Amino acid sequence: MGILIVLFILLFIHIHGNGHHKEAKGNALSNCDLFQGNWVVDDSYPLYTTSQCPFIIKEFDCQKNGRPDKLYVKYRWQPKGCNLPRFNGEDFLRRLTGKSILFVGDSLSLNQWQSLTCMLYKDVPHANYTLVRTGDLSTFTFPSYDVKVMLSRNAFLVDTVNESIGRVLKLDSIEGAKMWKGNDILIFDSWHWWLHTGRKQPWDFIQEGNHTYKDMNRLVAYEKGLKTWAKWVEDNVDPNKTRIFFQGVSPDHLDGAKWGQPSARFCEGQKVPVFGLNYPGGPHPAELVLEKVLRGMSKSKHVYLLNITTLSQMRKDGHPSVYGHGGHRDMDCSHWCLPGLPDTWNLLLNAALIHN
Ligand SMILES: *[C@@H]1O[C@H](CO)[C@@H](O)[C@H](O)[C@H]1NC(C)=O
Ligand SMILES: *[C@@H]1O[C@H](CO)[C@@H](O)[C@H](O)[C@H]1NC(C)=O
Ligand SMILES: *[C@@H]1O[C@H](CO)[C@@H](O)[C@H](O)[C@H]1NC(C)=O
Ligand SMILES: *[C@@H]1O[C@H](CO)[C@@H](O)[C@H](O)[C@H]1NC(C)=O
Ligand SMILES: *[C@@H]1O[C@H](CO)[C@@H](O)[C@H](O)[C@H]1NC(C)=O
């Protein structure tokens, strides 16, 4: 009998000790690499449901679009050396009173921005909020906390300008950055649009200095554009006033060969992550470019890389696939369902904000 009770106690400790509820092991956040770890099932997930977040856009609302499997919302990221701090929306808003957070980037920024507004709203459902969309800027405000969470759609970070010859992507021009000033937290992302060709390519020429090109190796163009962005940060950001993050490159899952399945397999029907500590497909070439540019910046600027590439590569199960907006006609293996993976990106953002 005594042994049984001890067994039950041990079992209890085991179950609850692994939960999301526990705070960082020994509070070792400072010397823990948050981005190395693995995915574990946690029954307390997801952090919110579709019905707790009335403003999820259709493209990301996989449950409402009829996705039948639900295990993909149950995965929690477990860093190797510590636990991620739990998210407390009210605490997050109090800490940022009077501040504005601006996401700048493509639809992967939209994905993360929506996730953050859902996580916050779920924790303060009685607070008033306003959501205003004007042109490429979306502003989500919690007036009672005096906090703004904004999104500026900007695929390249550098400028695209209409000229007599056509639309010109200017690798060394960044006039669009004017609107980034005056915000307290900036979270950038850019990659996917650099790849687009044909009808989806929103420029006709690339210009650098006095040279105009019909096209260029896209990784090279990406690096040049990022360097212009880095120079803007060096020249314009006071790290005592503004915190800067860069969302690492978010991977697609268009080729099953990358995770050991037939090449023809897209992400459709994937119900579980790649387990283990590494992704068989290896590092993402664009991520290597991004990391190189960030390494070249002065340390005093403190650009924090949300190094989400590897942990996201493992989540071949996290995309909308046919449960986005387009069904089989427009299979989506690039964006992520909400609730889902971008919630983890925001847990990592939260950990970085708390820690510093
Ligand atoms: C990002 O994470 C990956 C995987 O853990 C690691 O290999 C890489 O060195 C990290 N990059 C940086 C800049 O820390
Ligand atoms: C929400 O807004 C309404 C109308 O502006 C106001 O009457 C109410 O006090 C607000 N509630 C909170 C919790 O701020
Ligand atoms: C640039 O030109 C394209 C068509 O080539 C047009 O759709 C777009 O509205 C123009 N943008 C501006 C800012 O004039
Ligand atoms: C570009 O051309 C202008 C005018 O011809 C010249 O003044 C300028 O130095 C050139 N810039 C570069 C980077 O070559
Ligand atoms: C930021 O603050 C620190 C400490 O107060 C100061 O030493 C440093 O010069 C400041 N940096 C800038 C760019 O103002």
Side-chain angles (χ1 to χ4, degrees):
M1 187 64 189
I3 290 174
L4 257 182
I5 290 174
V6 170
L7 273 179
F8 271 116
I9 290 172
L10 284 177
L11 188 64
F12 184 87
I13 291 171
H14 178 73
I15 290 169
H16 290 263
N18 279 331
H20 174 59
H21 333 277
K22 214 177 88 176
E23 297 300 329
K25 283 175 199 163
N27 203 12
L29 224 50
S30 48
N31 38 32
C32 170
D33 181 350
L34 298 176
F35 306 102
Q36 285 222 21
N38 60 305
W39 290 99
V40 297
V41 171
D42 186 329
D43 260 332
S44 72
Y45 273 47
L47 300 179
Y48 55 89
T49 61
T50 286
S51 56
Q52 286 168 320
C53 185
F55 38 80
I56 303 180
I57 61 173
K58 180 170 161 50
E59 282 97 312
F60 305 150
D61 203 344
C62 301
Q63 295 292 320
K64 210 185 237 168
N65 296 336
R67 180 165 174 171
D69 59 310
K70 307 230 164 10
L71 188 56
Y72 73 95
V73 299
K74 292 281 177 199
Y75 286 100
R76 174 171 59 81
W77 177 246
Q78 177 63 64
K80 230 166 153 185
C82 56
N83 287 343
L84 286 177
R86 73 195 275 190
F87 186 81
N88 179 330
E90 177 142 32
D91 177 56
F92 186 98
L93 289 168
R94 282 192 201 293
R95 272 186 286 119
L96 296 182
T97 298
K99 301 222 187 309
S100 57
I101 306 173
L102 176 64
F103 288 87
V104 182
D106 56 25
S107 52
L108 278 314
S109 281
L110 168 66
N111 229 175
Q112 189 178 356
W113 171 78
Q114 274 237 310
S115 156
L116 182 59
T117 55
C118 287
M119 288 163 69
L120 291 170
Y121 179 70
K122 187 258 175 172
D123 282 359
V124 292
H126 303 298
N128 289 331
Y129 73 86
T130 58
L131 175 53
V132 180
R133 293 194 165 94
T134 44
D136 288 335
L137 185 69
S138 304
T139 305
F140 196 105
T141 313
F142 289 98
S144 37
Y145 294 89
D146 192 14
V147 173
K148 280 188 192 146
V149 186
M150 295 183 286
L151 168 73
S152 171
R153 292 292 285 268
N154 184 331
F156 299 102
L157 305 180
V158 293
D159 301 326
T160 310
V161 178
N162 280 351
E163 294 189 344
S164 53
I165 53 167
R167 299 160 304 173
V168 182
L169 174 60
K170 300 199 166 198
L171 297 181
D172 44 18
S173 172
I174 192 156
E175 292 295 308
K178 287 195 179 114
M179 67 157 306
W180 306 343
K181 290 189 175 178
N183 292 289
D184 303 282
I185 299 172
L186 294 170
I187 306 159
F188 294 95
D189 117 85
S190 181
W191 164 240
H192 286 247
W193 283 78
W194 293 89
L195 281 180
H196 288 332
T197 53
R199 262 188 322 109
K200 290 185 88 181
Q201 176 184 306
W203 49 265
D204 306 303
F205 296 95
I206 299 186
Q207 188 184 324
E208 187 195 18
N210 287 345
H211 296 283
T212 304
Y213 306 91
K214 189 67 191 140
D215 207 342
M216 189 185 279
N217 176 301
R218 301 307 178 84
L219 277 171
V220 171
Y222 181 56
E223 179 170 349
K224 290 178 190 290
L226 284 178
K227 281 186 170 156
T228 300
W229 167 85
K231 181 169 186 325
W232 179 85
V233 171
E234 299 277 357
D235 294 348
N236 291 280
V237 171
D238 176 352
N240 287 344
K241 296 208 176 105
T242 309
R243 302 216 42 198
I244 303 213
F245 293 85
F246 210 107
Q247 180 201 88
V249 170
S250 171
D252 289 339
H253 288 91
L254 291 167
D255 178 8
K258 296 262 168 65
W259 63 85
Q261 282 186 339
S263 213
R265 283 294 290 274
F266 292 151
C267 65
E268 186 182 4
Q270 298 298 321
K271 297 192 174 89
V272 291
V274 175
F275 293 105
L277 297 173
N278 293 301
Y279 184 63
H284 195 295
E287 174 67 13
L288 297 180
V289 169
L290 172 61
E291 292 189 9
K292 179 177 157 201
V293 172
L294 295 180
R295 268 199 310 276
M297 297 179 71
S298 42
K299 293 286 164 282
S300 64
K301 292 296 172 181
H302 304 302
V303 176
Y304 186 105
L305 173 65
L306 286 172
N307 190 3
I308 51 116
T309 308
T310 306
L311 66 89
S312 305
Q313 281 176 321
M314 296 175 186
R315 294 306 306 274
K316 60 185 170 64
D317 59 324
H319 299 285
S321 73
V322 297
Y323 304 104
H325 60 302
H328 275 103
R329 275 175 301 110
D330 198 4
M331 168 109 62
D332 187 353
C333 297
S334 301
H335 301 105
W336 306 93
C337 297
L338 293 182
L341 175 68
D343 307 333
T344 294
W345 301 350
N346 284 316
L347 291 179
L348 292 159
L349 172 69
N350 180 54
L353 285 171
I354 288 179
H355 174 56
N356 296 291

